[in-house]
Amino acid sequence: KRTSKQRLSFHPWRAPLQDLVIVVWADASNHNRPDKSSTMGLIAGIAPRSILDGNEEAISILQWKSSKTPRQCLGSNGAEVQAITIGEDLVFHLRALLAEFRGIALQRYSLHKTIRDTTEGALVMDSRGIFDAATRNLSSLHGLRESRAGYELTLAVNQAKLSGTRLRWVNGLAQLGDSLTKWQARKAILQFFARGQRWRLVDDPMFVAGKKLGKRALERQVGDRQNLFLAWVKKLAGENHWPWLESLERSEMFGGCDFWDNMVPGNPNV
């Protein structure tokens, strides 16, 4: 009931169909169901081509799915590979549909070439290990220990190459599919709707995980609070003629205690 006013928007880009691309966010969560099975989540959208260059664009949602993975798996890589494999198939089918909307006749023996030459698409994942295995590891089964997962990933990567589907990596905070696999991960999809279904593919060559980004933001916030506290103490010292030494270290100022370690938001002792 709290989200009953949310609606799906289909944006009028006023652009030709050849300037639109298909983007699918694929994610999985391992052994998070009562029967210890895994969950996969897919969100497919269509947007202007500039979204592939990192620009923020309006996205129209075409399809979404949250379901159990087709088979049991040993580890998280197995679940991620299943989501990526099904997500790549979804990109392929939607690109074929977009080509048919343009009046292009699809032939069985030239299907991949026709889709590659007439449409564009991207598959977005947040698993750094799977992304590295798919794009950098050239060994058998892309170096995965689970043979089934390696075989599925090999097929998905080969089909992506044939049809020209781009494989993209984003951190967990920018993964829209994450909201369909974990109950606590609704922030991304709610932010997506709050921004009018506008999003962008974050290009991070350093491959910094979302958890580390959150930690860095918290560290910056704590540092800002420390500087603000010091500024107020310095101001009070000047108004009341208290002794104040600019070169005094923080540890010396508080007698070597762990005061600064306790300056964390939400700490009841502060």
Side-chain angles (χ1 to χ4, degrees):
K1 294 181 179 180
R2 293 195 302 267
T3 58
S4 60
K5 295 183 180 180
Q6 290 181 352
R7 299 179 179 179
L8 289 178
S9 301
F10 295 90
H11 305 280
W13 299 287
R14 308 189 187 282
L17 291 178
Q18 56 265 30
D19 292 340
L20 301 179
V21 298
I22 301 296
V23 182
V24 173
W25 288 263
D27 188 59
S29 182
N30 187 41
H31 297 169
N32 67 334
R33 289 174 171 259
D35 60 352
K36 300 303 179 181
S37 58
S38 303
T39 305
M40 67 176 185
L42 302 172
I43 293 183
I46 185 171
R49 188 195 175 283
S50 57
I51 193 174
L52 300 178
D53 300 326
N55 297 332
E56 180 179 320
E57 295 291 349
I59 302 172
S60 294
I61 300 298
L62 301 180
Q63 184 176 350
W64 64 93
K65 178 180 181 181
S66 178
S67 65
K68 183 187 298 186
T69 54
R71 61 175 177 82
Q72 289 281 10
C73 51
L74 299 178
S76 58
N77 284 343
E80 292 283 353
V81 167
Q82 293 182 70
I84 290 170
T85 302
I86 298 177
E88 199 284 325
D89 286 339
L90 183 57
V91 175
F92 182 82
H93 293 156
L94 291 177
R95 290 177 64 186
L97 182 63
L98 185 60
E100 289 184 329
F101 283 162
R102 296 176 54 189
I104 300 173
L106 301 179
Q107 302 296 329
R108 177 180 179 183
Y109 298 102
S110 60
L111 187 59
H112 289 87
K113 183 179 184 302
T114 303
I115 293 178
R116 182 180 67 248
D117 297 339
T118 59
T119 63
E120 291 187 81
L123 177 64
V124 184
M125 64 192 77
D126 63 352
S127 174
R128 179 177 176 179
I130 298 300
F131 181 81
D132 289 341
T135 58
R136 301 180 182 182
N137 197 318
L138 303 179
S139 61
S140 176
L141 301 180
H142 292 278
L144 297 182
R145 291 183 295 177
E146 188 178 354
S147 58
R148 289 185 179 181
Y151 181 70
E152 289 182 354
L153 183 61
T154 300
L155 295 179
V157 170
N158 290 341
Q159 181 164 296
K161 290 180 178 179
L162 289 175
S163 58
T165 298
R166 305 187 186 187
L167 302 179
R168 301 291 296 269
W169 181 91
V170 298
N171 62 70
L173 301 178
Q175 171 60 276
L176 292 180
D178 201 36
S179 59
L180 299 182
T181 60
K182 306 173 185 65
W183 171 252
Q184 303 87 351
R186 302 179 61 192
K187 181 178 179 180
I189 195 66
L190 293 178
Q191 183 180 6
F192 171 73
F193 284 116
R195 298 170 63 176
Q197 295 185 199
R198 299 184 63 87
W199 207 249
R200 69 187 184 96
L201 301 181
V202 182
D203 186 13
D204 186 5
M206 301 300 295
F207 296 98
V208 181
K211 294 181 180 179
K212 293 184 179 180
L213 290 176
K215 181 179 179 181
R216 291 180 180 179
L218 180 60
E219 291 175 348
R220 288 195 297 267
Q221 182 180 4
V222 172
D224 293 341
R225 292 194 177 189
Q226 292 176 358
N227 295 332
L228 180 62
F229 180 79
L230 278 178
W232 276 102
V233 172
K234 181 178 179 180
K235 180 181 178 180
L236 290 176
E239 293 176 352
N240 296 276
H241 304 287
W242 296 340
W244 178 266
L245 298 178
E246 291 288 348
S247 60
L248 191 62
E249 296 292 338
R250 294 179 178 179
S251 59
E252 297 177 357
M253 185 183 302
F254 294 96
C257 67
D258 57 349
F259 177 83
W260 296 107
D261 296 334
N262 294 328
M263 289 293 292
V264 178
N267 192 333
N269 297 323
V270 178

